[in-house]
Amino acid sequence: MSILAFWVLFLAFVGAFALQVATRVRLIAAAPNTFSVDHFPFRIKRFLLDVVLQRRTIRERPVAGLMHALVFWGFVAFGGYTSIEFMSGLAIVDLTRTPWFYGYRVALTPFAAAVLVGIVYLLIRRAFVRPIGLGDHVSIESIIIALFIVTLMTTFLLTFRLEEGTLTERINWWTHMMVILAFMALIPASKHFHLVLSPVTVLLKSPELGNLPNLDFEKEQVGLETVKDLGSKMRLDAFTCVECGRCQVNCPAWGAGKELNPKAIILQTKDALLAGTIERKLGEVYSEKVLWQCTTCGACENQCPVGIEHLPILIGARRGLVSNGDAPAYLGAMYNNLERRSNIWGLGYDQRTKFVQSAGLETFDPAKHDVLVWLGCAGSFDADFQKSLRSLFAILRAKAVRFGVLAKERCNGDPAKRTGNEYMFQELANGNIEDLRAAGVKKILTSCPHCVKTIGADYAKFGYQVEIVHSSVFVEELLRRDGASTGDGVGAPRDIVTFHDPCYLGRYAGTVDEPRDLLTRFGADIREPERNRDNPYCCGAGGGLLFADKEEEPGSRISDVRFNQLQATGANTVVTACPFCSIMLKGAQASAQADTQFVDLMTFVNGKLTKANA
Ligand code: SF4
Ligand code: SF4
């Protein structure tokens, strides 16, 4: 009788689980396929680190992350126990009386204790501490799930104290099994569905941060316009979100008081999918205004512990808006500049030529030169950044590096790509690729982190593979080999500086040590700011926001928030390594009327080298 009752309950709860899962699977299966398993060894390695070892979960929130890891590892360890108990309860096969099963149960006791510690900590944190990223209301569902887990572990531990076949033992067994069934029926509609989906989502996450596959215009692809256009990985992401708020608290736009909240973007995607309103415009689902507030800094998807990618959604929706002529006016002006003059400021090409001549630069020739220096829009036209490039050229010449530049460059296309103007990006990219190929370039050196990402990763999607390095990496290696230093002895006064990691260098390229190695090699004492290395706080320039009308921005300016963080280090000198960070942060400094000094990394290094050699 009890076996029959258990079968009925089992089928009812598993049925409820399966129905909910089927709805979500149908929605994912109906989407344009955006799943990929390229670079499989890399994906497996990341899976082991982020799922099995819970690296990303622990990294940002070490205590809460470790507690979560204890619960996760406990769940994995209990998998076999739960299956065996179910098979026994359903009278399929009874392995519960074997000696090895007893040994397995004993081995599970430390796991049960660890799960209890972890879940009680997380319960207190969620119910009473309530960090801002978890939302402003206590989630009843989370409390129920946490109490379920406490019950599961307690009933498991009680099995060692209760005599088999007694009424208490039976009640204990039924409680344990019913909680598992109820848990199962509850999870698909809750954020705990990540228990099932996150291993798959992590495995399917692109190896490239901010991966934006090219649109194929021959297939009339125009980007994401409606809910129907959301790809399969985007839909999987929406159902995987665990609502931890890591993306939210790391988002510079949200941090500066703007409406954009990457967590809300994912949850709105989920709601729109489940509502079945597939023809609804994404500009309405998220609001157009919010979509233009993203700097594309990548913090959200880099911090997400369950493999969610926000940028394909945000930029995909921007592409949809641009294709309908719905880009903001400031972007219209920038696109116009790119179209007419192939640079973001719309300046005449003679200005680049003047700089090239005055800096004594040769046109690249593979027979004469080892490396091509890519100037970028800032290097070609921004007088301030040209000082930095002159420093780079001086270092290269001092170390006998043979380098040249292209006779003509277009913008690499980053501002068009990240703002969703894919057509313009492809025009610029294809033109540059043609010129780079024709020039026989094998290695590119640039001081612009956006050029590193775009030429290195986005151009590769056209089949153009080239080695591209940021000047900090190139010069650090050059000077390390050479053993160059200030020549000052031990105890010499050190410059107190802070280094602002550009998002496209620290986070996207993972270049965090080389700039610091250069600074310390040349006598700097680095005061690290809040948010640094591979999780910097953005300067606010990316994603086309360099061109936005600052007076119309809601909340604070992202650059002001970052400038305050840099000032709080107490260092009077800020070292930068990206032309756009430099422009934004100097703007913030001017508004704050602060006397902070800015120096570009190459200028700092060259100044020290020149002094040491004098
Ligand atoms: S990319 Fe950066 S600015 Fe954009 S949503 Fe993510 S964290 Fe926010
Ligand atoms: S998208 Fe990722 S980081 Fe953001 S709330 Fe969801 S699970 Fe957390």
Side-chain angles (χ1 to χ4, degrees):
M1 187 61 195
S2 71
I3 293 172
L4 182 64
F6 191 55
W7 263 107
V8 171
L9 289 166
F10 175 80
L11 291 176
F13 281 99
V14 170
F17 172 80
L19 273 178
Q20 297 175 80
V21 172
T23 306
R24 286 151 182 79
V25 169
R26 255 200 316 274
L27 284 165
I28 294 169
N33 183 16
T34 53
F35 290 142
S36 167
V37 285
D38 57 357
H39 302 94
F40 199 64
F42 172 85
R43 289 172 189 267
I44 292 292
K45 184 176 160 207
R46 190 178 55 193
F47 178 88
L48 293 174
L49 289 170
D50 288 347
V51 177
V52 179
L53 297 180
Q54 299 273 286
R55 171 187 61 171
R56 219 169 280 259
T57 310
I58 297 171
R59 196 172 56 185
E60 197 203 342
R61 298 174 182 168
V63 180
L66 184 63
M67 294 300 141
H68 179 276
L70 293 181
V71 177
F72 168 75
W73 291 326
F75 261 64
V76 174
F78 267 89
Y81 172 83
T82 306
S83 311
I84 288 168
E85 284 293 350
F86 266 99
M87 286 194 291
S88 162
L90 295 167
I92 297 170
V93 55
D94 189 2
L95 302 172
T96 59
R97 286 158 212 286
T98 55
W100 64 262
F101 185 68
Y102 182 77
Y104 177 28
R105 281 175 57 215
V106 172
L108 284 176
T109 51
F111 284 97
V115 171
L116 274 174
V117 170
I119 201 66
V120 169
Y121 176 91
L122 295 173
L123 179 61
I124 294 170
R125 182 169 179 268
R126 198 167 272 275
F128 303 108
V129 182
R130 293 160 63 184
I132 193 159
L134 294 182
D136 49 14
H137 67 281
V138 182
S139 158
I140 299 297
E141 164 211 298
S142 297
I143 307 289
I144 292 173
I145 295 279
L147 292 175
F148 273 4
I149 296 172
V150 170
T151 311
L152 284 176
M153 294 304 111
T154 314
T155 48
F156 167 75
L157 290 171
L158 280 173
T159 59
F160 292 95
R161 314 272 313 171
L162 302 174
E163 200 178 321
E164 205 183 328
T166 61
L167 179 63
T168 342
E169 186 272 339
R170 285 289 82 197
I171 291 172
N172 189 58
W173 186 88
W174 274 92
T175 308
H176 188 90
M177 303 311 269
M178 289 311 299
V179 166
I180 293 175
L181 288 175
F183 190 84
M184 201 192 292
L186 205 61
I187 56 170
S190 76
K191 58 178 174 271
H192 296 88
F193 201 27
H194 80 280
L195 286 168
V196 178
L197 296 184
S198 63
V200 185
T201 313
V202 169
L203 198 67
L204 293 173
K205 179 180 183 171
S206 168
E208 182 195 338
L209 178 64
N211 179 27
L212 304 166
N214 293 334
L215 288 182
D216 186 341
F217 295 112
E218 285 185 7
K219 290 188 184 155
E220 298 184 357
Q221 291 178 336
V222 290
L224 310 176
E225 291 177 289
T226 63
V227 175
K228 187 174 64 195
D229 300 330
L230 291 163
S232 50
K233 173 65 168 56
M234 296 165 189
R235 297 182 184 209
L236 176 68
D237 286 352
F239 296 128
T240 308
C241 180
V242 63
E243 302 177 30
C244 66
R246 282 173 167 83
C247 55
Q248 173 184 331
V249 298
N250 282 289
C251 174
W254 184 83
K258 315 211 182 292
E259 292 97 332
L260 172 61
N261 176 348
K263 171 176 159 181
I265 295 287
I266 301 302
L267 296 180
Q268 285 159 352
T269 307
K270 179 171 90 171
D271 292 345
L273 287 167
L274 288 173
T277 48
I278 57 165
E279 298 297 342
R280 192 159 170 229
K281 290 202 176 310
L282 293 177
E284 288 168 20
V285 172
Y286 311 121
S287 121
E288 285 188 25
K289 193 160 107 194
V290 159
L291 288 171
W292 296 112
Q293 289 174 357
C294 172
T295 69
T296 72
C297 74
C300 47
E301 65 181 59
N302 203 39
Q303 290 296 322
C304 180
V306 294
I308 289 169
E309 295 168 86
H310 304 71
L311 284 164
I313 298 179
L314 289 162
I315 297 177
R318 284 181 176 183
R319 285 171 167 176
L321 292 174
V322 170
S323 69
N324 286 305
D326 290 331
Y330 65 83
L331 287 181
M334 190 262 288
Y335 294 154
N336 214 9
N337 292 337
L338 286 175
E339 199 171 340
R340 286 189 306 114
R341 298 277 174 93
S342 303
N343 70 79
I344 51 178
W345 289 297
L347 294 169
Y349 229 77
D350 53 322
Q351 297 200 32
R352 180 184 187 269
T353 310
K354 270 188 214 150
F355 172 62
V356 167
Q357 283 169 354
S358 70
L361 303 177
E362 295 177 11
T363 299
F364 181 81
D365 175 349
K368 273 172 66 187
H369 301 124
D370 311 313
V371 63
L372 174 110
V373 176
W374 180 271
L375 302 180
C377 288
S380 301
F381 300 104
D382 180 58
D384 218 16
F385 195 62
Q386 285 173 350
K387 286 186 203 142
S388 158
L389 285 187
R390 285 181 196 273
S391 296
L392 172 65
F393 303 148
I395 299 167
L396 297 179
R397 284 175 180 136
K399 300 298 165 193
V401 176
R402 302 178 311 161
F403 65 96
V405 295
L406 283 187
K408 191 167 178 184
E409 274 177 18
R410 297 160 194 81
C411 169
N412 69 59
D414 161 90
K417 178 113 187 149
R418 310 300 152 212
T419 56
N421 194 334
E422 182 69 11
Y423 187 81
M424 185 164 283
F425 165 71
Q426 293 197 14
E427 290 235 308
L428 292 163
N430 284 320
N432 283 328
I433 290 170
E434 203 174 298
D435 291 349
L436 287 163
R437 279 198 173 121
V441 175
K442 295 277 179 296
K443 182 167 184 169
I444 301 177
L445 165 62
T446 180
S447 275
C448 174
H450 293 262
C451 295
V452 173
K453 160 79 175 166
T454 307
I455 297 174
D458 296 319
Y459 285 15
K461 297 185 180 93
F462 295 101
Y464 178 69
Q465 307 272 359
V466 69
E467 183 186 356
I468 180 162
V469 285
H470 186 256
S471 51
S472 60
V473 177
F474 191 93
V475 169
E476 192 279 328
E477 194 191 334
L478 197 64
L479 300 186
R480 180 162 31 88
R481 265 195 275 135
D482 207 43
S485 73
T486 55
D488 296 337
V490 177
R494 298 176 73 79
D495 297 296
I496 297 178
V497 306
T498 186
F499 178 65
H500 165 73
D501 293 272
C503 295
Y504 277 73
L505 189 65
R507 185 176 292 112
Y508 277 87
T511 299
V512 295
D513 291 330
E514 291 87 345
R516 287 171 174 78
D517 289 349
L518 280 172
L519 289 170
T520 47
R521 175 181 289 276
F522 290 102
D525 184 352
I526 306 171
R527 302 283 155 88
E528 290 290 350
E530 158 187 357
R531 299 284 302 271
N532 60 357
R533 298 181 68 84
D534 65 352
N535 190 25
Y537 193 91
C538 185
C539 71
L545 287 165
L546 176 71
F547 310 96
D549 186 347
K550 305 290 179 283
E551 303 313 317
E552 285 182 13
E553 283 185 38
S556 311
R557 289 182 195 167
I558 292 172
S559 54
D560 289 348
V561 176
R562 182 51 168 169
F563 181 66
N564 289 340
Q565 292 172 353
L566 296 168
Q567 266 205 316
T569 61
N572 202 35
T573 302
V574 175
V575 180
T576 55
C578 167
F580 302 111
C581 295
S582 177
I583 292 170
M584 295 303 281
L585 294 172
K586 282 180 185 166
Q589 178 217 29
S591 321
Q593 298 184 329
D595 60 0
T596 310
Q597 306 291 313
F598 280 90
V599 55
D600 179 87
L601 184 61
M602 289 302 118
T603 307
F604 179 91
V605 170
N606 187 46
K608 297 290 177 182
L609 270 180
T610 311
K611 201 169 138 208
N613 294 333

